[in-house]
Amino acid sequence: MRENAIPINDLARWDATDLSDVTACMTKVADSGHFMRGPHTSDLEKQLGMMLEGMKVVCVANGTDALVLSLLSLGVKPGEKVVTVANAGGYATGAILSIGAIPVLVDVDLVSAQMSVTSLSIQLETHPDIRAVITTHLYGLMADMQLIRELTSAKGILLVEDCAQAIGASQHGVPAGAWGDASTFSFYPTKNLACLGDGGAVAFKNPKNADTCRRLAQYGWSERYIISNSDGFNSRLDEIQAAILVSRIQRLSQNNQVRRSIVARYVKALNEPRYMVYNDADDFVGHLAVLITPYRQSDVEMLKQANVGNGVHYPVLDQYQPAWIKHFEGVSLPNSEQLVKSIITLPCFPLMTEDEISRVCEVLESL
């Protein structure tokens, strides 16, 4: 009889303590009758701010809104250039385009799959009018923030960290999200810190930017029903999701360690030339277990035969998205091109069983 399939993630699995806590959170908020911008949202913003070395946090409806609001709150205008990578699912590029700014794509490092400091440096010299850089910490691994921060600071360029996949990571003792002028987070159900729907947050070094963000996320109101900013829209995290996140943030570090340990097992099971996007340090939190292989087609077939779930994050580079091709004529990103043909996402989530992890390792050893 064929063994049960191992999913990339399984949101139907529950830890008993977590289920009890989540149920209690929902009941507490329902009984309170306070569903938007209440005490749980304030508590979450304070806790995230403490994680981020005192940055001012505004909770919003989702991670995509967080990216848009980060740019608007920092004062990025239509027609200004913003740098990002092309291999991270298009979320940053979409945010840039949505405010009328101009995305400038840079390549990534072949081993880490993160923004290439060399490619960034070249683009900053080629485009001296760049206004901001969005660096995405992809798959749970941080980009080289010390060098990126040095480059942007030297030229007076705004720096935004997309931490949707890296909450709880740190580099040189500085948390992911505390390096930039602003940082964004997603609490989508598959994220390391997850709610039961959409949710997001934006953090700022300058409290004035946070005040602007809070207004923009509530229709642009300066006071109730008085619209003072035409860029405003509705982007609020509801109290049920906030309460769940406050409960779950207590287990974030433990769950990140479990994710990291799963990917470490995969690393040991592999033989060259295959490798995992991984680092045995605090700057990796195992959001996704991503295998890089020159033999993707045959490796995927082996995984399927073993009933091991797999996927590709992400299959289309931004410059090839049908709606965006016109923005990126002549763009050449050789490392990104190579990686997009070589990546496989493997199962990785805190409630994986020992049997499941061992089965994945057996397949990797056989490749």
Side-chain angles (χ1 to χ4, degrees):
M1 185 169 67
R2 194 178 189 193
E3 292 177 298
N4 291 333
I6 303 172
I8 294 176
N9 204 335
D10 187 355
L11 298 179
R13 296 189 196 184
W14 285 86
D15 171 86
T17 301
D18 183 45
L19 178 59
S20 176
D21 289 348
V22 166
T23 303
C25 288
M26 296 173 75
T27 301
K28 185 176 182 179
V29 174
D31 289 344
S32 76
H34 196 159
F35 302 116
M36 292 289 181
R37 287 196 166 184
H40 299 291
T41 300
S42 296
D43 190 8
L44 178 61
E45 290 175 347
K46 290 176 184 175
Q47 292 203 39
L48 291 171
M50 287 189 290
M51 283 180 58
L52 299 172
E53 300 186 338
M55 293 181 75
K56 298 300 179 183
V57 178
V58 180
C59 288
V60 298
N62 54 70
T64 305
D65 283 0
L67 284 164
V68 172
L69 286 162
S70 71
L71 296 174
L72 290 173
S73 302
L74 291 172
V76 177
K77 304 292 189 222
E80 293 186 321
K81 294 177 181 177
V82 181
V83 170
T84 191
V85 293
N87 69 329
Y91 307 110
T93 295
I96 295 163
L97 289 169
S98 75
I99 70 166
I102 300 169
V104 177
L105 300 179
V106 300
D107 210 351
V108 297
D109 177 80
L110 266 179
V111 174
S112 70
Q114 310 302 311
M115 179 178 283
S116 163
V117 175
T118 300
S119 182
L120 173 62
S121 180
I122 291 169
Q123 287 289 30
L124 295 184
E125 293 298 326
T126 304
H127 301 275
D129 54 345
I130 282 171
R131 180 82 165 96
V133 171
I134 299 176
T135 182
T136 299
H137 302 309
L138 193 63
Y139 309 142
L141 179 63
M142 290 180 67
D144 190 334
M145 291 312 300
Q146 186 165 323
L147 292 180
I148 291 172
R149 175 77 267 184
E150 287 174 3
L151 280 175
T152 55
S153 294
K155 295 180 178 293
I157 293 170
L158 296 167
L159 178 58
V160 177
E161 292 178 77
D162 178 358
C163 304
Q165 301 186 12
I167 189 167
S170 65
Q171 197 172 79
H172 306 298
V174 180
W179 291 85
D181 299 287
S183 54
T184 67
F185 298 84
S186 169
F187 306 123
Y188 184 77
T190 59
K191 295 297 192 283
N192 294 42
L193 178 61
C195 57
L196 301 190
D198 271 320
V202 198
F204 297 93
K205 279 277 198 305
N206 189 331
K208 291 182 179 179
N209 296 139
D211 291 341
T212 299
C213 182
R214 199 173 297 280
R215 291 195 299 272
L216 290 171
Q218 179 120 323
Y219 312 112
W221 287 354
S222 55
E223 56 184 287
R224 192 170 178 83
Y225 302 130
I226 305 299
I227 299 171
S228 300
N229 193 307
S230 60
D231 292 325
F233 57 99
N234 177 16
S235 184
R236 297 173 298 206
L237 181 70
D238 70 72
E239 279 286 279
I240 287 178
Q241 305 300 353
I244 291 169
L245 290 165
V246 168
S247 170
R248 286 181 163 179
I249 204 170
Q250 313 306 321
R251 291 185 288 274
L252 174 63
S253 179
Q254 176 185 342
N255 286 339
N256 282 349
Q257 182 54 43
V258 173
R259 289 173 176 271
R260 188 185 290 116
S261 68
I262 292 170
V263 183
R265 296 267 298 273
Y266 297 167
V267 170
K268 291 181 180 178
L270 283 173
N271 296 304
E272 293 182 354
R274 298 172 181 86
Y275 59 95
M276 302 295 299
V277 175
Y278 171 77
N279 193 5
D280 184 22
D282 292 337
D283 62 349
F284 178 65
V285 291
H287 172 64
L288 292 173
V290 175
L291 166 66
I292 299 177
T293 170
Y295 313 110
R296 182 162 71 182
Q297 186 172 348
S298 60
D299 288 356
V300 166
E301 188 57 38
M302 289 285 286
L303 290 163
K304 287 182 178 178
Q305 289 176 10
N307 225 9
V308 173
N310 60 89
V312 176
H313 292 81
Y314 298 90
V316 183
L317 297 176
D318 292 4
Q319 69 266 34
Y320 298 125
Q321 291 290 356
W324 297 343
I325 288 175
K326 62 185 178 183
H327 299 289
F328 300 118
E329 292 182 9
V331 168
S332 175
L333 305 170
N335 289 354
S336 301
E337 297 271 5
Q338 182 174 331
L339 283 173
V340 79
K341 299 172 185 176
S342 309
I343 50 178
I344 305 173
T345 303
L346 302 172
C348 181
F349 55 100
L351 293 179
M352 280 186 77
T353 66
E354 172 59 32
D355 177 66
E356 289 173 329
I357 299 168
S358 295
R359 281 173 55 195
V360 177
C361 289
E362 287 173 6
V363 179
L364 297 180
E365 288 170 353
S366 72
L367 295 178

